[in-house]
Amino acid sequence: MLVGWLALIGVAQAEEEGEWPRGHYPLPEEGNVIGDTYTVTVENYDDTLLDIARRHNVGYREIVRANPDVSIWIPGEGTEVTIPGRFILPDAERTGIVINIAELRLYYYPKVDDSETPRVETYPIGIGREGFGTPLGVTETTMNIKNPAWYPPESVQREARARGEEAPSVVPPGPDNPLGDHAIILGFDGYLIHGTNQPDGIGMRASRGCIRMFPGDIESIFDRVPAGTQVHIVNQPIKIGWDQEQPLVQAFPPLEEEGHSKSALEDTVTRLNQRSVEGLSFDYEQLRGLLDDPSGRMISLNPKPEPDRKHDTIYKGIYAEIALRRS
């Protein structure tokens, strides 16, 4: 409990001083965009891109996508590294914990007093690898366990036997425990939010379905997430943001291999065109390129070009059908 109170005191003090802990943001009064993208300069030759990501609250895929030309293991002293610290809030109720598995990111909306500024905290996560999907839907936290023991499931024991090894029946707390030092049990049977003894896997699909967090991140929320906290797990690979009436789109590679579906594109266009009554229109060709190459970068959509013969010919296939139907 002492750790939880200290965390709350730290947040309150930071707010009074006009500073917020990394990953904590006041909820926007308008729109749904938080944070900023910025750059840092590598000062230590021994730093890897993953070290920098961890210090700046981003995961593996986020830092790699934002810096495609920077070496993961030896960025090099003096190299500029982009930190993708601007986020579109998921399209979900802003209460409890919201996890967007497509984004590999968790959002926590703590309860605040009337005198406090409503806030959101966001953290990178690891999720289930292929064949071990993280379940979707609404559940709640049921129990918080410090220094948990890990009981390898039958699937782990089968894999060990196939390698000619014998999996332990239980892994006690300690450095070999894949749950780390903190675990939050969910109402979905067998699924947890937990720490890890392999932090380089945060921001990747590497677990057996559970949600992994950096050890320091889960420690920071552990005593502030009571049993019964709502947890909403969504899969939103395409997010739409609004910042001072500027439309923003962020597209992540879908978890399925076939790419973004036609229905996902239609839904994106529909949500964008909800603003068309205010005189806004969008460049669907730019949107097509964004969804064809979903890099996770946040892109400002351009206004729709003035119609001309050349432009009329660039809409092809389902893009032509959707753009013409929605415009």
Side-chain angles (χ1 to χ4, degrees):
M1 289 297 295
L2 178 60
V3 174
W5 280 109
L6 290 175
L8 288 172
I9 292 172
V11 169
Q13 289 177 340
E15 183 177 343
E16 289 177 3
E17 297 170 1
E19 299 177 357
W20 291 73
R22 195 175 300 281
H24 294 225
Y25 304 96
L27 281 177
E29 294 183 3
E30 296 182 3
N32 58 348
V33 179
I34 57 174
D36 290 294
T37 296
Y38 56 96
T39 60
V40 297
T41 301
V42 180
E43 298 180 352
N44 188 336
Y45 176 82
D46 293 330
D47 273 349
T48 68
L49 204 57
L50 303 185
D51 294 328
I52 297 168
R54 186 172 180 177
R55 287 200 293 268
H56 290 271
N57 190 46
V58 294
Y60 174 87
R61 289 188 178 180
E62 291 173 314
I63 198 73
V64 170
R65 288 177 186 145
N67 299 274
D69 299 323
V70 177
S71 168
I72 296 175
W73 304 114
I74 309 176
E77 195 171 345
T79 299
E80 283 197 350
V81 174
T82 298
I83 306 298
R86 198 177 189 208
F87 309 102
I88 298 172
L89 297 176
D91 185 15
E93 182 184 7
R94 296 178 182 179
T95 186
I97 291 173
V98 176
I99 296 170
N100 185 9
I101 60 173
E103 187 183 5
L104 294 165
R105 185 158 281 273
L106 178 151
Y107 295 83
Y108 174 45
Y109 299 91
K111 292 183 178 180
V112 296
D113 296 332
D114 292 339
S115 60
E116 293 181 287
T117 302
R119 64 173 60 89
V120 60
E121 305 170 20
T122 183
Y123 304 96
I125 58 172
I127 65 169
R129 65 180 185 264
E130 189 172 355
F132 294 91
T134 300
L136 303 178
V138 178
T139 184
E140 64 180 18
T141 62
T142 62
M143 184 184 301
N144 294 8
I145 303 176
K146 191 170 183 179
N147 298 320
W150 180 54
Y151 297 85
E154 176 59 30
S155 60
V156 172
Q157 299 186 36
R158 284 198 306 269
E159 291 176 5
R161 288 194 293 269
R163 298 192 302 267
E165 303 172 0
E166 186 67 29
S169 58
V170 60
V171 177
D176 296 328
N177 191 317
L179 301 183
D181 296 330
H182 301 83
I184 300 175
I185 313 300
L186 301 181
F188 290 141
D189 187 29
Y191 291 93
L192 304 78
I193 301 172
H194 62 80
T196 179
N197 63 346
Q198 297 180 330
D200 286 353
I202 300 301
M204 301 174 64
R205 298 185 64 187
S207 78
R208 290 178 176 269
C210 290
I211 295 96
R212 296 179 177 178
M213 299 180 69
F214 282 129
D217 289 347
I218 191 168
E219 183 178 9
S220 74
I221 69 170
F222 184 78
D223 290 309
R224 297 187 290 117
V225 176
T229 298
Q230 178 176 293
V231 178
H232 190 181
I233 304 177
V234 300
N235 179 17
Q236 296 179 6
I238 305 171
K239 297 199 298 179
I240 295 174
W242 299 93
D243 187 14
Q244 298 181 354
E245 294 304 325
Q246 172 62 51
L248 307 168
V249 175
Q250 195 173 21
F252 302 91
L255 300 182
E256 301 80 13
E257 296 299 326
E258 64 269 18
H260 289 296
S261 66
K262 178 180 176 180
S263 61
L265 178 61
E266 287 182 323
D267 176 67
T268 303
V269 173
T270 297
R271 286 187 287 155
L272 284 169
N273 276 285
Q274 288 174 351
R275 296 294 182 103
S276 292
V277 295
E278 302 173 17
L280 300 177
S281 58
F282 313 102
D283 183 351
Y284 292 100
E285 183 67 11
Q286 182 192 18
L287 178 61
R288 183 185 79 168
L290 177 62
L291 300 188
D292 283 347
D293 182 23
S295 66
R297 293 178 297 151
M298 194 180 303
I299 303 296
S300 298
L301 282 187
N302 298 326
K304 183 177 179 180
E306 290 296 325
D308 56 48
R309 292 182 179 178
K310 289 184 178 179
H311 184 71
D312 288 343
T313 62
I314 63 176
Y315 292 110
K316 299 178 180 179
I318 64 171
Y319 297 94
E321 176 187 342
I322 294 171
L324 293 175
R325 187 191 328 147
R326 304 291 184 181
S327 60

